[in-house]
Amino acid sequence: MNLKGNDPIGVFDSGLGGLTVVKELLHELPNERIVYFGDTARVPYGTKSRETIIRYSKEIVSVLLKRRVKMVIVACNTASSLALDVLKAEYKLPIIGVIDPGARKAAMTTKNKKVAIIATHSTVKSGKYAKRLKQLKRGLNIISQPCPLFVPLVEEGWLEHDITIQTAQEYLKDLKAAQVDTLILGCTHYPLLKKVIGYVMGPKVTLIDSAKEIAFEVKSTLLERGLLRTDLKPPDHLYLVSDEPDIFKYRAVKFLGCSMDNVKRYSL
Ligand code: DGL
């Protein structure tokens, strides 16, 4: 495969959420071009089976390859948990998921060896974060909690709403009681709830943002492989969605922190 530095980075997610990863990429690698695919017609992934997630992920990677991407970032935690191994075995270009960078940072951060993971049902069920954490550090006490209602609350824009605080109190009570000192935000949407989650868990708990961690990993991979973009023209970005672009554009502002132009519909 002839990968070129000036080609774009491909990023995909089940929908909007992966824009939390794009935001960090734009910050960390401002000269890179990005092609994003949000599978808005088939979101959520967090309740679907492994077979389905693998099939969807392969379809999206093929679309990204047609756009000549030099690397694929699986921004979706669910797809990273269930499909990353298969994608890596099938395609020749670098493919990075969010689990590894997030788990590494958590293993480095915890002092009392009590780590919590919050994620979708499918990510928790896959056990991928827990498995990776155990490989990275001995004697960890790991507790996982699915928090499915966080996704619609974020999409509704209720980032600091009383209902969101109450929901967080209910979901996080066992993690608090377990006195974890590190908590992995194992879903694309959760970084937007950092304020509420931090408030509920208290100041002694460090929140691990997988979106931030993957951006560092992408940078070092591009550097190592000599694949950083060298073109001096300002980078162009393209956002492809499998359903109506207008809703995506409207909601995306919260995730990205700015508006976006180039959003197109791509039916799978
Ligand atoms: N993007 C998904 C994840 O990070 C959350 C939304 C969904 O369930 O599709 O797991």
Side-chain angles (χ1 to χ4, degrees):
M1 225 173 179
N2 188 13
L3 305 173
K4 297 201 188 78
N6 289 330
D7 287 339
I9 298 174
V11 182
F12 82 86
D13 179 52
S14 54
L16 273 172
L19 294 174
T20 52
V21 172
V22 172
K23 186 177 176 199
E24 298 304 332
L25 288 172
L26 294 176
H27 178 75
E28 206 51 44
L29 293 156
N31 197 40
E32 293 296 327
R33 300 166 60 212
I34 291 171
V35 178
Y36 180 86
F37 194 101
D39 197 1
T40 49
R42 303 190 293 198
V43 69
Y45 281 13
T47 47
K48 295 195 169 73
S49 69
R50 181 166 186 264
E51 295 68 40
T52 302
I53 302 296
I54 290 173
R55 179 161 55 83
Y56 289 178
S57 301
K58 282 189 187 172
E59 284 171 12
I60 296 170
V61 173
S62 325
V63 175
L64 293 173
L65 287 176
K66 280 192 204 136
R67 302 272 164 179
R68 303 182 51 86
V69 297
K70 60 183 171 186
M71 163 187 245
V72 171
I73 300 174
V74 187
C76 179
N77 284 258
T78 307
S80 294
S81 304
L82 300 173
L84 187 69
D85 298 350
V86 176
L87 297 178
K88 279 185 156 179
E90 190 139 335
Y91 302 98
K92 296 227 159 55
L93 78 174
I95 304 187
I96 300 183
V98 272
I99 309 293
D100 243 54
R104 247 183 280 131
K105 181 71 178 179
M108 267 162 48
T109 304
T110 183
K111 302 262 185 316
N112 71 2
K113 294 195 169 181
K114 291 179 184 170
V115 179
I117 302 146
I118 55 171
T120 63
H121 276 295
S122 299
T123 300
V124 167
K125 195 167 155 234
S126 78
K128 278 285 160 65
Y129 267 116
K131 188 172 165 208
R132 189 70 189 112
L133 280 165
K134 281 182 192 150
Q135 287 167 347
L136 289 160
K137 198 164 191 157
R138 277 165 185 249
L140 285 184
N141 193 337
I142 301 165
I143 166 163
S144 305
Q145 172 68 48
C147 304
L149 291 175
F150 281 169
V151 170
L153 286 169
V154 168
E155 299 214 345
E156 196 56 39
W158 289 6
L159 305 185
E160 292 172 37
H161 198 288
D162 283 352
I163 291 177
T164 311
I165 298 175
Q166 279 171 32
T167 309
Q169 279 164 338
E170 183 61 32
Y171 276 146
L172 304 176
K173 63 176 191 260
D174 291 347
L175 315 186
K176 250 189 114 165
Q179 296 186 320
V180 300
D181 71 352
T182 306
L183 185 147
I184 300 178
L185 306 171
C187 172
T188 46
H189 289 58
Y190 301 175
L192 282 124
L193 294 180
K194 259 186 205 163
K195 223 171 171 176
V196 164
I197 295 169
Y199 166 74
V200 171
M201 291 304 291
K204 290 195 189 126
V205 178
T206 306
L207 305 183
I208 306 294
D209 181 344
S210 300
K212 261 198 173 43
E213 297 312 316
I214 197 171
F216 300 138
E217 173 124 356
V218 172
K219 191 173 185 177
S220 59
T221 306
L222 291 177
L223 261 167
E224 258 167 43
R225 298 191 175 224
L227 280 175
L228 280 170
R229 180 169 180 259
T230 50
D231 202 333
L232 296 176
K233 272 191 289 185
D236 55 310
H237 308 301
L238 170 65
Y239 299 90
L240 300 171
V241 287
S242 51
D243 204 350
E244 177 54 45
D246 283 347
I247 304 166
F248 177 83
K249 251 174 137 169
Y250 171 73
R251 291 188 162 168
V253 179
K254 275 219 171 68
F255 284 80
L256 209 53
C258 61
S259 59
M260 51 174 59
D261 297 323
N262 209 3
V263 186
K264 294 203 169 88
R265 185 169 183 156
Y266 190 109
S267 299
L268 288 165

